[in-house]
Amino acid sequence: MPPWFLPQNSSRLRGCSIKLTCPQKGAFCHLGNVTPCGIFAIFLSRAAANAAKNRRFGDDFPFMEHPLTVWQLSLAVVFWCVVATGCGDDDDFADNVESSEIQLTPTVGSGWLYGESVAGRGLIVERFGDSGPPVLILSAIHGNERPAVVFGERLRTFLQQQQDVYDTCQVFLITAANPDGTVYGTRHNLSDVDLNRNFPAKNFQPSETNGKFPLQEPESAALAELIEFLDPVAILSIHNPLHQVDYNGPAEMLAKGMAKISGIPFKPPIGGLPGSLGSWAGEDLQIPTITLELPPAINTLSGFEPAWKATEYFVEKASETKTSSTDRLDLDYATSGPYAAWNVATTAQGYDLRMERWGSPKHTQGGVLVMVSPHEQTPETTFVVERIRAKLTTRVQPTPTHPIWFLTVTSPADTKNADVDSETFTTLSTIVDQLQPEAVVYVRESQLAGFAFAGPFPQKLTNSLRNQGLIERAANLGEMSLEQVIAEDQQIAVLLLDVAPFVDTEADAEPYRKVGTIAADYYLSKTAQ
């Protein structure tokens, strides 16, 4: 469906009024009731757009054999604008504009920075769910535990695709509690302190490894402050390689249930380790605290299924344990920083569509958009887009002047949806049009691995992408596909990453991550100049 056509009943879209684009990039107008004359106007304007490109109507309309004159083109555009603003009742038009909304400015805290690492990397927490008891899930407090790192990233996708899991609670997710460690592959942070021995537990023991005093490190201090603020009813910490379910505090039944449903062995506790999260939160604060240890050799997408089953059970049962003083949190303050996540719309199936912004909140347009195709949303494509996101959000550098936008799940109801409903299609194309990014990194499925260009791409960038381990291929834009609309109708540069079905490990995803981040960096540096 063309991006300028908006369904009559779009009450699911919310936040700020949609700007519908004329075929010429940058020209905006609001579209009221779709009447017969309105449909004819759209028909003419589409013809005008093709004529401007082909200089003849004959390509789309064989019965018109003469070249399009300037006055004909002008008449079509003027007629459309008159119809778009004048057809139908004025009151109905106002109602439509008010109810047809996409929220591109965050107004509720669904993601924010709760602190910074030693090196200055942002500590990101995201919220899934609007109300109910809060539960906290964190991974990668030890940066060298790669399965925990990757599973934390995969949890973002799982939670967006399985939104019924948190119908009655709020899930707060930290995918990298030790981002410096994840970048350098170290257990400790950059101060060489084990963050999981630096909490203010009664059994804290000062040392070079544990820290000279509790909460000495910015990562542990920020996490402790967040826990005190959230007052979670339960905490789940993801580790590896011991392959077991352990617990601290009043969490025995919860841990046994997770072990039973997932097949991961249950281990009775032997007492909290000095200064550990389990000792402080579980034993001292009496918050049910689970340690989920993944197996040592897990490195494939399919291998995470038992861990997801355990996590799903944890969320479901933990929210039933007790009530919390923070069933509904006022997090509006959290949207003004350099990172924000929020739900921009609701799909026809009732699923929230989540978008993230990494960069200055002063800019609501421009920058780079990284997204996955709604037509080919598979475990492989979402894995690649999450790897690109992880790389771009763990940079040690000033906040980009122009933002990076992320749409890592674009069809939340499905893992693969070749026939995207018209409302979701319109929502996504409208989001892209409103953001007006310099470029879009578009991840899609293909039988052949590679990358391709569509739209206005500079030769300098194309040359630098040809030596990163992926084969350059033809764009092959599907007729009226989203990527075609972005590249041809909206005239935005699109880097197409064609992900093959065999992508199953970090090593498989690495060439795509390199190409995607190089392209994003090019446009971020270009727009910052």
Side-chain angles (χ1 to χ4, degrees):
M1 181 175 291
W4 52 83
F5 180 82
L6 187 69
Q8 182 92 5
N9 181 14
S10 299
S11 59
R12 292 186 177 88
L13 311 181
R14 56 181 182 267
C16 64
S17 70
I18 291 177
K19 294 177 181 177
L20 301 174
T21 63
C22 302
Q24 293 78 13
K25 181 180 178 181
F28 294 97
C29 61
H30 287 291
L31 181 61
N33 290 334
V34 180
T35 62
C37 60
I39 294 173
F40 182 60
I42 294 173
F43 179 80
L44 277 179
S45 64
R46 179 62 173 168
N50 286 324
K53 181 187 300 182
N54 302 318
R55 303 299 305 161
R56 296 181 65 90
F57 260 140
D59 291 354
D60 281 345
F61 303 91
F63 55 85
M64 290 187 174
E65 298 179 354
H66 300 290
L68 181 69
T69 62
V70 173
W71 72 266
Q72 286 175 310
L73 176 61
S74 302
L75 179 62
V77 173
V78 170
F79 184 61
W80 179 20
C81 294
V82 170
V83 171
T85 56
C87 288
D89 185 81
D90 289 341
D91 293 336
D92 291 340
F93 168 70
D95 291 341
N96 282 344
V97 171
E98 183 178 357
S99 64
S100 302
E101 298 171 334
I102 290 180
Q103 179 57 52
L104 293 187
T105 302
T107 57
V108 64
S110 292
W112 71 97
L113 297 184
Y114 67 93
E116 287 187 348
S117 69
V118 172
R121 291 184 170 87
L123 302 173
I124 297 175
V125 60
E126 290 186 76
R127 179 177 69 165
F128 298 85
D130 296 327
S131 62
V135 297
L136 175 63
I137 302 176
L138 63 105
S139 68
I141 199 168
H142 292 146
N144 64 336
E145 298 175 354
R146 292 308 301 175
V149 173
V150 176
F151 182 65
E153 297 169 7
R154 296 301 299 158
L155 275 177
R156 297 190 68 259
T157 299
F158 288 141
L159 290 171
Q160 290 179 77
Q161 292 178 335
Q162 308 289 334
Q163 296 183 15
D164 56 331
V165 170
Y166 47 89
D167 274 346
T168 60
C169 67
Q170 302 171 84
V171 176
F172 290 85
L173 175 65
I174 300 171
T175 59
N178 179 9
D180 294 347
T182 66
V183 170
Y184 295 106
T186 60
R187 176 182 175 89
H188 299 168
N189 72 347
L190 285 191
S191 299
D192 201 20
V193 170
D194 188 332
L195 298 176
N196 203 31
R197 302 292 185 270
N198 192 235
F199 289 96
K202 295 176 181 178
N203 63 0
F204 174 79
Q205 296 177 1
S207 70
E208 291 297 323
T209 299
N210 298 348
K212 296 179 180 179
F213 53 88
L215 306 184
Q216 168 186 306
E217 300 305 305
E219 299 93 339
S220 55
L223 181 55
E225 184 178 2
L226 179 68
I227 290 173
E228 291 176 343
F229 170 70
L230 294 178
D231 186 24
V233 297
I235 298 173
L236 174 62
S237 184
I238 312 294
H239 289 261
N240 88 292
L242 300 181
H243 196 214
Q244 63 188 30
V245 181
D246 194 0
Y247 74 93
N248 296 95
E252 181 178 0
M253 296 305 297
L254 182 58
K256 287 182 176 179
M258 291 171 61
K260 181 177 180 180
I261 199 169
S262 65
I264 300 174
F266 168 77
K267 179 186 177 182
I270 57 175
L273 295 169
S276 68
L277 177 64
S279 294
W280 175 60
E283 304 296 339
D284 296 351
L285 301 183
Q286 287 293 289
I287 300 173
T289 302
I290 303 290
T291 300
L292 177 60
E293 292 269 359
L294 305 178
I298 181 174
N299 63 354
T300 63
L301 296 180
S302 58
F304 289 125
E305 185 62 27
W308 168 242
K309 288 182 179 180
T311 304
E312 186 177 14
Y313 182 90
F314 166 82
V315 172
E316 178 185 351
K317 296 301 180 182
S319 61
E320 301 173 357
T321 56
K322 66 174 182 179
T323 59
S324 169
S325 59
T326 53
D327 280 3
R328 184 176 290 276
L329 299 168
D330 182 9
L331 297 173
D332 287 2
Y333 77 91
T335 62
S336 60
Y339 170 84
W342 66 102
N343 297 327
V344 292
T346 304
T347 68
Q349 296 89 354
Y351 284 77
D352 289 330
L353 184 64
R354 173 175 294 248
M355 186 166 72
E356 299 173 276
R357 182 205 68 226
W358 181 252
S360 171
K362 296 180 181 179
H363 296 277
T364 58
Q365 289 185 321
V368 176
L369 171 63
V370 179
M371 67 181 298
V372 67
S373 168
H375 305 280
E376 296 109 359
Q377 184 176 284
T378 65
E380 293 80 15
T381 56
T382 54
F383 181 44
V384 167
V385 80
E386 288 286 1
R387 296 300 302 136
I388 296 173
R389 172 194 175 274
K391 182 66 175 180
L392 292 173
T393 56
T394 53
R395 297 287 182 81
V396 180
Q397 60 185 22
T399 300
T401 304
H402 287 72
I404 309 172
W405 312 92
F406 297 101
L407 285 167
T408 56
V409 172
T410 51
S411 184
D414 305 288
T415 55
K416 183 175 181 180
N417 184 7
D419 298 319
V420 179
D421 65 89
S422 60
E423 185 171 336
T424 299
F425 187 101
T426 303
T427 299
L428 292 171
S429 60
T430 303
I431 288 173
V432 176
D433 189 68
Q434 283 189 238
L435 292 179
Q436 288 293 295
E438 289 287 325
V440 175
V441 178
Y442 193 91
V443 182
R444 63 182 187 177
E445 183 188 38
S446 175
Q447 292 302 311
L448 298 175
F451 69 95
F453 304 105
F457 247 85
Q459 188 63 38
K460 179 180 179 181
L461 176 58
T462 60
N463 291 338
S464 65
L465 297 182
R466 288 169 179 155
N467 300 312
Q468 304 302 325
L470 286 181
I471 299 174
E472 183 180 357
R473 302 187 183 280
N476 293 326
L477 299 178
E479 183 65 25
M480 290 313 300
S481 63
L482 184 58
E483 57 265 42
Q484 183 195 44
V485 169
I486 296 171
E488 296 184 358
D489 290 302
Q490 298 176 344
Q491 284 295 293
I492 297 172
V494 180
L495 170 65
L496 300 161
L497 294 181
D498 292 329
V499 180
F502 61 75
V503 173
D504 199 36
T505 67
E506 281 192 273
D508 296 335
E510 185 62 13
Y512 300 100
R513 184 199 62 75
K514 285 183 178 180
V515 171
T517 53
I518 289 173
D521 284 340
Y522 173 86
Y523 278 98
L524 290 175
S525 62
K526 178 175 177 290
T527 55
Q529 294 174 354

